[in-house]
Amino acid sequence: MDLNYTAEDLSFRDEVRTYLEANLPADLKQKVLNHKRMSREDFVRWHKILAKQGWVGTGWPKEFGGTGWTATQRHIFEEECARAGTPAILPFGVNMVAPVIMAFGNQAQKDYYLPRILNCDDWWCQGYSEPGSGSDLASLKTRAERDGDFYIVNGQKTWTTLAQHADMIFCLVRTDSGGRKQEGISFLLIDMKTPGITVRPIIMLDEDHEVNEVFFDNVKVPVQNLIGEENKGWTYAKYLLGHERTNIAAVGRAKRELEFLKRVAAEHQKNGKPLIDDPVYASKVASLEIELMALEITVLRVISQDSGRPGPEASLLKIKGTEIQQRLTELMIEAVGPYSLPFDPAFMHGETENSIMGDDDAAPLASYYFNFRKTSIYGGSNEIQKNIITQMILGL
Ligand SMILES: Cc1cc2nc3c(=O)[nH]c(=O)nc-3n(C[C@H](O)[C@H](O)[C@H](O)COP(=O)(O)OP(=O)(O)OC[C@H]3O[C@@H](n4cnc5c(N)ncnc54)[C@H](O)[C@@H]3O)c2cc1C
């Protein structure tokens, strides 16, 4: 197995790097590199810049307006974006609902939604989880009852990321309560402006408004918003979850954060010397770097097999990737200590140039650390990923 990049890969990397240097706005780059919070406008602005270049649908086939890139090219692109400090392209439209629409939607749905997703004309959110139905997703209770040309939807979703900005939500709803619980689920696309939808914020440990509860009270959804067949939604939902876990290892971002960590640890002192020269701290950084190198090689091995669809190896990448991301934030806090503690929302939203504490590297780090606790829970918790590995890879 040859894991080295070919000459074409390297020239593609140069092309991406040059493009990002010329087109990534400096204010967005600074926000990302400095762990600041991104606004709706920040995400949309970057999405539209990339859309103009035709580089949003990096995993999409060309026929739908995608790049048609190989897995290696996608990996290089993601690495370069992370290295440059671009905002994320949010996955809910491009990487989650779009593949489902391509595979199971009808022609009218493909024609209408896919170009809008590429251009970020609609902001999408994901309505899967409910109170009591997270890992055990198939037990979901939000009901959709057919009434002529409409479904009438009642129930509640929760943990809905950035639903406060959303124009559309893709939802799993129960259309049949008899039989196996997986068999009565359907996949609906719902306009967030429909009367009867209420979005309530859930404020998290880092005091940020990233997730929400979404309530449905007699919400009328046109039947043409059903994806595929009624009661076959579980098949589509599983297809989507496979795509949700791609690039979850986020190796590029972890490499960038490791460099940040080393710089900050060189600037902070312990016993009159740079912390990075402290043997105990240095050994923690070194073992994390080794883990990260091993993860990168594993990602390249998975890519070199390029099956076109993410398999159960994605679970392995998710666990190791999120463990490394969380460990990085722990070592950042250890490096800057109490300088991370003052809570300075104006600075984190980019409204003031300097933080109240005077250490601008350290100021957002407590919030960043708390925010990253989520990574081992969302996208299927790490315990659930271990169950998948034991069943699908180890055959236990
Ligand atoms: C920040 C954040 C954003 C999210 N965004 C979205 C979103 O946009 N849309 C959406 O639909 N959902 C979203 N989620 C929900 C996420 O998918 C669920 O939180 C996740 O699936 C876990 O479900 P749960 O919270 O109900 O926990 P539970 O399923 O109740 O699990 C509780 C604990 O028990 C463990 N556990 C459960 N079952 C098993 C088992 N069989 N074996 C071993 N251990 C088990 C879990 O690992 C966990 O540690 C988000 C979650 C977070 C934290």
Side-chain angles (χ1 to χ4, degrees):
M1 188 186 310
D2 182 5
L3 298 180
N4 292 314
Y5 289 143
T6 61
E8 293 85 61
D9 292 336
L10 291 173
S11 105
F12 174 75
R13 187 180 69 183
D14 291 344
E15 182 193 345
V16 172
R17 197 170 283 184
T18 309
Y19 170 83
L20 293 176
E21 272 162 18
N23 291 283
L24 173 59
D27 59 324
L28 294 184
K29 181 182 175 98
Q30 282 316 313
K31 268 185 147 179
V32 172
L33 295 182
N34 296 324
H35 308 103
K36 303 256 182 88
R37 292 180 178 171
M38 311 301 289
S39 66
R40 185 190 204 275
E41 291 66 39
D42 292 335
F43 284 116
V44 173
R45 179 148 64 110
W46 178 239
H47 189 127
K48 285 191 179 286
I49 290 172
L50 270 192
K52 237 168 137 184
Q53 176 71 3
W55 282 359
V56 169
T58 60
W60 294 23
K62 279 192 173 158
E63 59 171 306
F64 295 118
T67 57
W69 287 343
T70 62
T72 307
Q73 287 175 310
R74 290 207 306 275
H75 175 74
I76 290 172
F77 180 72
E78 279 151 10
E79 286 255 302
E80 289 304 312
C81 285
R83 182 177 170 275
T86 68
I89 294 296
L90 291 175
F92 307 105
V94 177
N95 294 335
M96 292 190 185
V97 76
V100 171
I101 293 174
M102 286 176 211
F104 306 106
N106 59 36
Q107 197 56 46
Q109 290 165 339
K110 288 177 194 168
D111 291 345
Y112 181 74
Y113 290 113
L114 295 178
R116 297 179 66 84
I117 290 172
L118 273 185
N119 198 39
C120 203
D121 293 333
D122 298 316
W123 181 295
W124 284 84
C125 64
Q126 178 186 24
Y128 272 25
S129 305
E130 298 183 5
S133 302
S135 304
D136 181 18
L137 187 59
S139 68
L140 63 93
K141 294 188 184 66
T142 295
R143 287 188 328 277
E145 281 157 359
R146 184 82 184 253
D147 180 11
D149 290 339
F150 291 89
Y151 286 103
I152 309 297
V153 179
N154 281 286
Q156 183 197 342
K157 296 292 170 181
T158 193
W159 305 122
T160 323
T161 299
L162 300 175
Q164 74 269 29
H165 301 320
D167 303 298
M168 295 292 298
I169 182 168
F170 56 89
C171 268
L172 293 181
V173 291
R174 184 154 299 287
T175 34
D176 187 350
S177 303
R180 280 182 67 231
K181 57 188 179 181
Q182 287 83 355
E183 281 161 13
I185 292 172
S186 298
F187 195 109
L188 277 186
L189 313 180
I190 305 179
D191 186 334
M192 290 292 282
K193 289 186 291 301
T194 321
I197 298 182
T198 309
V199 178
R200 276 201 214 143
I202 303 175
I203 302 300
M204 301 289 270
L205 202 54
D206 61 352
E207 289 242 5
D208 199 9
H209 178 191
E210 193 174 284
V211 286
N212 301 272
E213 297 175 290
V214 181
F215 296 88
F216 298 85
D217 182 13
N218 286 321
V219 174
K220 276 178 85 173
V221 180
V223 167
Q224 65 257 31
N225 287 20
L226 175 76
I227 291 285
E229 287 177 55
E230 198 176 275
N231 296 330
K232 291 277 189 287
W234 189 246
T235 306
Y236 316 146
K238 282 192 301 182
Y239 182 83
L240 180 149
L241 287 176
H243 285 79
E244 184 178 351
R245 283 191 284 272
T246 51
N247 192 34
I248 209 146
V251 169
R253 188 178 58 199
K255 281 162 74 176
R256 186 185 78 216
E257 296 295 19
L258 184 67
E259 291 314 307
F260 171 86
L261 174 71
K262 287 180 181 172
R263 178 172 65 74
V264 167
E267 288 166 5
H268 282 253
Q269 305 269 313
K270 185 178 174 191
N271 299 330
K273 285 194 206 149
L275 177 65
I276 196 71
D277 294 337
D278 175 72
V280 176
Y281 189 82
S283 77
K284 290 180 194 173
V285 176
S287 60
L288 181 61
E289 188 159 8
I290 292 166
E291 289 276 313
L292 180 54
M293 287 163 78
L295 177 66
E296 185 173 19
I297 294 293
T298 310
V299 168
L300 291 172
R301 282 173 56 200
V302 170
I303 288 172
S304 74
Q305 288 156 7
D306 193 9
S307 61
R309 277 213 54 193
E313 314 80 39
S315 299
L316 197 145
L317 301 180
K318 199 249 163 170
I319 294 171
K320 289 310 289 181
T322 53
E323 284 175 354
I324 288 170
Q325 288 159 35
Q326 292 185 340
R327 186 76 185 122
L328 276 164
T329 64
E330 287 157 20
L331 289 178
M332 285 176 194
I333 296 292
E334 197 176 326
V336 302
Y339 290 100
S340 68
L341 290 181
F343 183 59
D344 188 355
F347 178 66
M348 286 189 295
H349 286 110
E351 291 155 13
T352 54
E353 204 172 319
N354 297 110
S355 73
I356 47 177
M357 271 297 271
D359 186 335
D360 294 348
D361 281 330
L365 292 184
S367 166
Y368 194 60
Y369 163 86
F370 285 127
N371 187 274
F372 267 71
R373 303 304 97 194
K374 71 188 176 189
T375 59
S376 46
I377 303 171
Y378 67 23
S381 75
N382 283 15
E383 289 78 19
I384 295 299
Q385 305 303 331
K386 286 178 186 167
N387 288 349
I388 294 173
I389 291 170
T390 54
Q391 287 160 19
M392 311 268 295
I393 300 183
L394 303 177
L396 299 176

